[in-house]
Amino acid sequence: PGAAFGGAWQGAVRFGASPDATSLHVRCSCLRARGASGSESALLRKWKANPSANDSDIWGGEFGKACAHNEVVMQQLRPFFPMEVLNTSVCSRLDPAPGNQGFDGCLEYLRLACRAKSRAITCWDRVRMHFVDKTGATDGSLEKKRLLALQDDVLVQVVPLLKNFTVACRGQIPPLELLKAIAAMSAAADAVNRKLPTRRGPDEWSC
């Protein structure tokens, strides 16, 4: 639940860009960073987000809407913990949210955060498994459609395993590397099973 980590929502899912205490805190930090110096302010100072908030009463003012996006809030509450964006894509300069053309999005925010702290992060959305390494590069990301090359019975087993492995490594290993590890373990298990003796029936155990 969000409340377990300082969030202002109930349940495991935070719905859309929504203003709350965390987003307003990030907004204030974003404004302070514009006129500050030092490494702690560098991330927000370099993030070229859309300052427009449309309705200041709702969003709190400049940068309020950008700071209310799920990825920004979740990174604030659980830094670098793997996350999944449901039914949409992580917004970016290449794939902007409506009205954000020409501005940095959440992906750029995560890239700056990874570079600032030398940590990686994994974030799944409806299109790809984003992997941002500790330098801010996204070369390790994987499009989900590549998984469609797997047979259906394999796919339904691999996806839950991939999620579990991603959480277990705290999102610090690229998804393709995790898939290779799963494939290697599956191959090893098959090899062991082929070498095991066939299980005997109850009537075959008599002396």
Side-chain angles (χ1 to χ4, degrees), residues 65-126:
K65 189 170 185 179
C67 293
H69 282 214
N70 286 328
E71 297 89 330
V72 176
V73 170
M74 296 301 291
Q75 170 65 10
Q76 178 72 20
L77 294 176
R78 303 190 74 184
F80 304 102
F81 196 81
M83 66 181 92
E84 183 173 13
V85 180
L86 303 175
N87 303 321
T88 188
S89 301
V90 177
C91 63
S92 65
R93 278 188 174 267
L94 291 177
D95 187 13
N100 273 5
Q101 289 78 5
F103 293 98
D104 284 355
C106 292
L107 184 58
E108 285 77 22
Y109 179 85
L110 296 177
R111 294 182 67 181
L112 287 168
C114 290
R115 193 179 306 147
K117 298 295 185 181
S118 293
R119 295 278 303 278
I121 192 171
T122 298
C123 182
W124 291 23
D125 66 16
R126 66 180 180 84

Side-chain angles (χ1 to χ4, degrees), residues 52 74 154 171 174 183:
S52 175
M74 296 301 291
V154 175

